[in-house]
Amino acid sequence: MDMTPRWALPLLFAGQAQKEIFHNEALTVIDALLHGRVESADSATPPGAPVAGQCWIVAAGASGAWAGQAGAIACWSAGGWRFLTPRAGMRVDVADRGHALFHDGAEWRDAAIRGDGLYLDGNRLVTTRQAAIADPSGGTVIDVEGRATMAAILTALRAHGLIGS
């Protein structure tokens, strides 16, 4: 075996010539993957003037130097484009979206936790904290149980940080 099984990092062997080339290639891939961040996941064409270390998730219909690399992470280095095949569970922050994407083993998906709330299947379930809801008051004797129940619900929502106090 001449590379690691998960990310295909080149391995060094005793007596191998030009070990620094293999070592540097491995470090370049690690640099791209460690705490991953990409500029965008919506571009199908390479940028005109990338900076070394910048990465993108290649969008469908890729062309030019990115042709045939849809879904891969394209990283610009001093040696040109490096393409990394994502694995299930991989997560990268996407600069132009303001939230992360994760790879489910088949495709990239938006992360559940975003700056504007918590999502499930693309539907926002919890949003940013809202203003406080006033405690119930008034009514007649029959409303005592209803008010007590509503107050308990409000207490629980406040305790979980879902509404303000």
Side-chain angles (χ1 to χ4, degrees), residues 18-39:
Q18 299 180 331
K19 289 182 182 178
E20 68 279 359
I21 293 172
F22 292 89
H23 178 74
N24 290 345
E25 179 64 22
L27 289 177
T28 299
V29 173
I30 290 169
D31 185 56
L33 296 173
L34 189 64
H35 302 291
R37 179 177 171 88
V38 298
E39 304 303 314

Side-chain angles (χ1 to χ4, degrees), residues 52-81:
Q54 286 184 315
C55 300
W56 287 260
I57 294 174
V58 180
S63 61
W66 290 0
Q69 297 292 337
I73 297 176
C75 298
W76 182 252
S77 70
W81 290 107

Side-chain angles (χ1 to χ4, degrees), residues 137-152:
S137 63
T140 62
V141 174
I142 197 161
D143 288 334
V144 171
E145 287 182 43
R147 282 195 308 275
T149 301
M150 288 174 52

Side-chain angles (χ1 to χ4, degrees), residues 71-95:
I73 297 176
C75 298
W76 182 252
S77 70
W81 290 107
R82 300 282 198 281
F83 296 99
L84 308 169
T85 303
R87 305 284 191 267
M90 185 176 191
R91 179 189 180 281
V92 294
D93 288 322
V94 183

